[in-house]
Amino acid sequence: MSVVPFGVAKAGPVRPVPARRGSRLALPVVLGLLALPLITAAHHSRPAPYGDHVTVHARVDDGTAAPELRTKGRAVEAYDPATGRVRWTYSREGARPLALLPAPGHAVALWSDGLVTDTAPRADGSAVRWHRAIPASAPWLGSPAARGAAGVLQSLDPRGRMLAVVTPQRIAAYRSADGDLRWVLPARRGCAFEPARSVRHREALMVAQPCGDAATPWTSQLIAVDDLGRIVPRRKPLGNELPGGAPDDVRTRAEKAVAPPR
């Protein structure tokens, strides 16, 4: 039995002195400040979506005349019509442009990996509006049967508001303003579309659809389409305007319609 002298308190267990609240809050703040440069660097080092690389060579005003467009090597280039100088170039990693469709306010390009893009050409070209992938098209685009993607990109109206992408399996129509898929026309069984064998007659785009069956009538081997889909009697309007541009009570119908008015 231990004896404690009178007047001396018995020592209890030693307890740690609680840290100040301010010091506990300061540590996360300091760590956050140290990590901020790393987060910023990681953000800037992220690859561009879809491998896009847009290089602006000359800034221009919005009212400037539209540039001349062409493909060169692995890029789409825009030239000033007055000086011939390059305004901007647009390229994508691992792909090259196969076809280019200039339209009022649009520069639509088809790439070797089956992607379709739309770039605003009138300004500085830095705005890539949208990307759309054409399913299972890359192998065909790389084959001699594609004829260098001739006829794949087609404008469906004089103002370029609707775009058709023609492949052997289907014709797909997109709204140029936002790339919205409006309708799809699949090829008839045993037949295939030939984009290079297409011709425009007034408002209609006529595309050859040769069939393997010799009994198939020639009338079924030539398809006529416009911005509303396949041209057939008594069809109903599709309503391809931007949201708010068509009455709410307009019903839509086209061959394999995929997008009602929004």
Side-chain angles (χ1 to χ4, degrees), residues 93 95 186 259:
E93 294 180 5

Side-chain angles (χ1 to χ4, degrees), residues 188-211:
R188 182 173 177 171
R189 181 175 297 181
C191 309
F193 294 118
E194 288 193 6
R197 296 174 58 193
S198 59
V199 64
R200 184 170 298 280
H201 179 67
R202 296 180 180 176
E203 301 298 325
L205 173 67
M206 294 183 290
V207 183
Q209 184 188 223
C211 304

